[in-house]
Amino acid sequence: MTKRIAEILRSGEPDDALTVQGWVRTKRELKDFAFLEINDGSSMGNLQVVLSPEMSNYQEVVKGLNTGASVELTGVLVASPAKGQRIELKASTCELLGESDPETYPLQKKRHSFEFLRTISHLRSRTNTFGAVFRVRNAAANAIHQFFQERGFLWVHTPILTASDCEGAGEMFAVTNFNLKEPPRTKSQDIDYSQDFFGKPAFLTVSGQLEAEVMAMAFSNVYTFGPTFRAENSNTSRHLAEFWMVEPEMAFCNLKGDMDLAEAFLKYIFKFVLETCPDDMEFFNQRIDNTVLATADNIINNQFERITYTEAVSLLEKASKTFEFPVKWGLDLQSEHERYLAEELFKKPVIVTDYPVGIKAFYMRLNDDNKTVAAMDILAPKIGEIIGGSQREERLDVLESRIQKQGLALDDYWWYLDLRRYGTVEHAGFGLGFERLVQFMTGMQNIRDVIPFPRAPMTIDF
Amino acid sequence: MTKRIAEILRSGEPDDALTVQGWVRTKRELKDFAFLEINDGSSMGNLQVVLSPEMSNYQEVVKGLNTGASVELTGVLVASPAKGQRIELKASTCELLGESDPETYPLQKKRHSFEFLRTISHLRSRTNTFGAVFRVRNAAANAIHQFFQERGFLWVHTPILTASDCEGAGEMFAVTNFNLKEPPRTKSQDIDYSQDFFGKPAFLTVSGQLEAEVMAMAFSNVYTFGPTFRAENSNTSRHLAEFWMVEPEMAFCNLKGDMDLAEAFLKYIFKFVLETCPDDMEFFNQRIDNTVLATADNIINNQFERITYTEAVSLLEKASKTFEFPVKWGLDLQSEHERYLAEELFKKPVIVTDYPVGIKAFYMRLNDDNKTVAAMDILAPKIGEIIGGSQREERLDVLESRIQKQGLALDDYWWYLDLRRYGTVEHAGFGLGFERLVQFMTGMQNIRDVIPFPRAPMTIDF
């Protein structure tokens, strides 16, 4: 019976007869036999295999079983005399499936830098670190779906291609079917977009929120989970040109409901990942960042602090710490301010609400003070902002006035405004950058190391 | 206590006191009271509400409660004397949240054509049909994740942006950060892509398969589920420029394992949707296509027929039917042939395997006969091809020769070839067009009606 290694390590018992398939991580040849460590990606742990020279093809397979080679082994499990493992496989047959030339295979035993591994993104998932990263990434993604589906939210697929360049969340990539060398032009030498695929300029979305609001006005509770894009030339460890975002949107919900959901959501994901990937999380804590387990514990077991922006500014002004950037009512909080609040002052996640209207997007609901909007940001120790959300402006006249004040054209938002014209309701939502979350969970320093094939300025290989 | 209507209809009991929020579908005023039908998107069924004139704001709210208006109601459930419903809400308070002007609200009681509803995609989800479509779509998507996660597959996010224009699955959209009016040019007047965001031409992916193979070579079993793109100018009821695709990829798996998984997968999704959305599926069967329940039953309860392409051609040649397109070994099967096999001959899903090498992609594994490849297509009654897959060519020399024979450059595939150089294994996978599946399940005729905001030639609104 063929079994995956995660299952064997979890529940295999001595005398179980089985077949296992995987890749060689290490080989040790002793005088009388050889040890293999086999991994199939199902877990951090390898299965130790003992090869005995009684095997008919012993010499040949031992020679070929280099790091990276693929192999199929059949045998019985035995209790392992070695430390650190409960059982091992005593192999009776061994078939070398695919070789891996030790002279050229780029993943040798020694540690490689993450920079180097990015140049071989097609192989890096075979290392301990990236194996753990992508198992945690999958578990977190699965947790997100389970969280929402259990609560009756619909997963809605909002469009990637959009004609609206006015979502306001950042610079957009253009998408075209033209031959760029000689695109059709109008008489006045402008590009004649009427001849392009969509008949007008098209872009890659920066957010599914506006369309998610459409769906929430029919289904009450929905969420998006899909790729979004930024054409910003930010060559940093915190930015990607292509990243995945989660955006729930709830009808009949105000800012308080939004915060409650966001807090429950974060706790759920962290709990889920700790339960499903304990070995991977232990690995990150030991090898990458020895605070990740404490951080997860902090998220799960603390009630998030909730303060207004005005209170936050006052606390920052009173701080004995000197900040690089100024603190003043009306200015946005900088990363250093956010981290001070979460890490030093409250030592747990903090939700800051009711930001000045001048520094937030037009769709956030204007508070009765006419100076602030019903926005909220969740600041976490070690990372700063992890979630940003708001109650949306549901009043037609207020929304129209906000759009116009920002110099945007009402006509571009005709369908968005219709949602306020016909059966408008209080509603709210938030956005979570999925890679930021995985960074936060795993302690990985560079966001390019938590997505399989990162896209960034000058970076589009594989 | 606030409850969603699906839950009330399922398990509400007389005397339950509760609050409900939703949108008015219909209002009927009688002499002594008024009836409302309220929907909140959680189910096909509406909650019937009885408003009594004893309510202090009765006149005012009844006047405002037009189709599309949003409302919050509090009251107790009572057994319904009317046919077709078990319970109804006797409201004690009613708050009109958002009006809906009956003079301008586009969704009036009368039936609207799907063509018209496409022009108001921001409102069409509020109709019975589109409510049902997007609940079924969500259930099918949820089923897909559950199916794979239960089996230990990792959800991997393969890139949307790609520099390789040679995936071979169709025409691609270009993505750029240039001002199209005056992009930088080289001395020879070519576009100077070295100055574009990625330093080279970039495109929207047509398939995540090649990257999924990378991940399968580390994690054994993975799947993608994300948007893919085609820049083909096909203005039909079966094509979208942006659509979602599911692509599992399994290491240590041959064509038989691939077929077994695909068959189990389809059965699982259909069962899941029938169990979670029985009312919606009943609606489709009654109003849209009276064969959809029989089709679902056919998928779930029949063992799929498995025949080779060569056998299929022989059966088609023997058919008493005359086809529009010729049947001859070496030619691809046309939709009419596929439907004849599935609908008329076998009357159930048919998996056709081992197609001629000349009509299939370079990565499909060459069979020992050197004439056919280990490909498989699943043909379903009423729709034709629903899944296409193959065992992949794992032998380096054979793959290199196939790439070259197709006139492609080996250098473009250096990383894909590395997978065969280091620890290569038998592996296989398939692709499912998600919208085709939802069309198939619901009987909706036009693929634009099973995705919230369809993208097609000249179509990119909302």
Side-chain angles (χ1 to χ4, degrees), chain A residues 23 40 70 99 122 137-138 149 155 157 160-161 174 181 190 197 219-220 242 418 423-424 455 458, chain B residues 4 23 40 70 99 122 137-138 149 155 157 160-161 176 181 190 197 220 242 418 423-424 455 458:
Chain A
W23 290 270
D40 65 2
S70 48
E99 302 202 359
H122 64 306
R137 185 180 168 107
N138 170 71
Q149 295 288 337
W155 184 23
H157 297 112
I160 307 301
L161 294 166
K181 235 178 133 176
D190 287 328
F197 190 91
F219 299 102
S220 299
E242 173 180 330
D418 264 6
T424 192
R455 268 71 178 112
M458 299 294 148
Chain B
R4 310 227 28 219
W23 291 270
D40 65 1
S70 48
E99 302 202 357
H122 65 306
R137 185 181 167 107
N138 170 71
Q149 296 287 339
W155 185 23
H157 297 114
I160 308 300
L161 294 166
T176 178
K181 233 178 135 176
D190 285 330
F197 191 92
S220 300
E242 172 181 331
D418 264 5
T424 191
R455 270 69 179 114
M458 299 293 148

Side-chain angles (χ1 to χ4, degrees), chain A residues 56-294:
Chain A
S56 63
N57 56 349
Y58 181 79
Q59 295 299 337
E60 175 200 344
V61 293
V62 167
K63 185 155 171 289
L65 289 171
N66 299 300
T67 300
S70 48
V71 63
E72 178 171 308
L73 297 143
T74 299
V76 291
L77 294 182
V78 295
S80 177
K83 244 179 66 177
Q85 61 201 10
R86 198 172 53 83
I87 43 163
E88 60 188 33
L89 182 72
K90 195 166 175 309
S92 51
T93 71
C94 172
E95 188 186 354
L96 173 60
L97 303 173
E99 302 202 359
S100 174
D101 183 351
E103 299 296 312
T104 62
Y105 187 56
L107 293 174
Q108 297 305 330
K109 262 192 243 178
K110 69 181 169 69
R111 289 252 206 141
H112 300 285
S113 74
F114 293 147
E115 289 72 18
F116 168 72
L117 290 173
R118 258 171 249 143
T119 68
I120 51 166
S121 289
H122 64 306
L123 299 174
R124 67 177 180 168
S125 291
R126 303 177 182 193
T127 65
N128 281 337
T129 302
F130 288 94
V133 165
F134 297 126
R135 276 187 301 271
V136 163
R137 185 180 168 107
N138 170 71
N142 193 22
I144 288 166
H145 282 302
Q146 285 202 18
F147 176 84
F148 287 122
Q149 295 288 337
E150 283 172 6
R151 284 160 183 75
F153 284 59
L154 296 196
W155 184 23
V156 296
H157 297 112
T158 50
I160 307 301
L161 294 166
T162 174
S164 104
D165 61 351
C166 43
E167 293 171 19
E171 271 191 77
M172 301 177 88
F173 287 104
V175 175
T176 178
N177 207 17
F178 283 150
N179 175 351
L180 293 200
K181 235 178 133 176
E182 288 186 20
R185 295 187 186 253
T186 61
K187 278 182 190 160
S188 57
Q189 288 303 303
D190 287 328
I191 302 293
D192 184 2
Y193 283 106
S194 73
Q195 295 187 51
D196 204 352
F197 190 91
F198 295 109
K200 53 177 87 166
F203 307 92
L204 293 181
T205 187
V206 294
S207 162
Q209 181 199 314
L210 305 195
E211 287 93 353
E213 286 186 56
V214 165
M215 300 305 272
M217 294 303 111
F219 299 102
S220 299
N221 293 328
V222 302
Y223 67 108
T224 73
F225 189 176
T228 49
F229 303 85
R230 293 284 185 288
E232 276 150 32
N233 208 346
S234 302
N235 227 330
T236 79
S237 63
R238 285 172 59 88
H239 293 88
L240 288 168
E242 173 180 330
F243 58 97
W244 284 63
M245 191 137 76
V246 182
E247 297 179 288
E249 191 71 36
M250 296 81 73
F252 313 106
C253 181
N254 59 19
L255 191 65
K256 162 117 186 4
D258 202 30
M259 290 191 281
D260 291 346
L261 189 86
E263 182 170 343
F265 174 67
L266 281 180
K267 289 178 152 78
Y268 184 100
I269 303 172
F270 274 87
K271 244 188 230 169
F272 188 98
V273 170
L274 284 180
E275 280 166 16
T276 51
C277 302
D279 297 348
D280 295 319
M281 290 301 294
E282 188 62 48
F283 172 88
F284 289 119
N285 205 62
Q286 277 181 23
R287 302 289 189 89
I288 302 294
D289 177 343
N290 63 12
T291 67
V292 296
L293 290 180

Side-chain angles (χ1 to χ4, degrees), chain B residues 116-179:
Chain B
F116 168 72
L117 290 173
R118 258 171 249 144
T119 68
I120 51 166
S121 288
H122 65 306
L123 299 174
R124 67 176 180 169
S125 291
R126 304 177 182 193
T127 64
N128 280 337
T129 301
F130 288 95
V133 165
F134 296 127
R135 277 188 299 273
V136 163
R137 185 181 167 107
N138 170 71
N142 193 22
I144 288 166
H145 282 303
Q146 286 203 18
F147 176 84
F148 288 122
Q149 296 287 339
E150 283 172 5
R151 284 160 183 75
F153 284 60
L154 297 196
W155 185 23
V156 296
H157 297 114
T158 50
I160 308 300
L161 294 166
T162 175
S164 105
D165 61 351
C166 41
E167 294 172 17
E171 270 191 79
M172 301 177 89
F173 286 105
V175 175
T176 178
N177 207 17
F178 283 150
N179 174 351

Side-chain angles (χ1 to χ4, degrees), chain A residues 15-44:
Chain A
D15 298 333
D16 286 358
L18 51 83
T19 295
V20 65
Q21 299 156 325
W23 290 270
V24 176
R25 281 292 172 87
T26 62
K27 168 181 74 177
R28 274 184 301 145
E29 286 186 67
L30 303 184
K31 220 179 74 185
D32 289 340
F33 46 91
F35 285 115
L36 298 176
E37 296 277 339
I38 304 295
N39 191 286
D40 65 2
S42 61
S43 69
M44 169 65 61

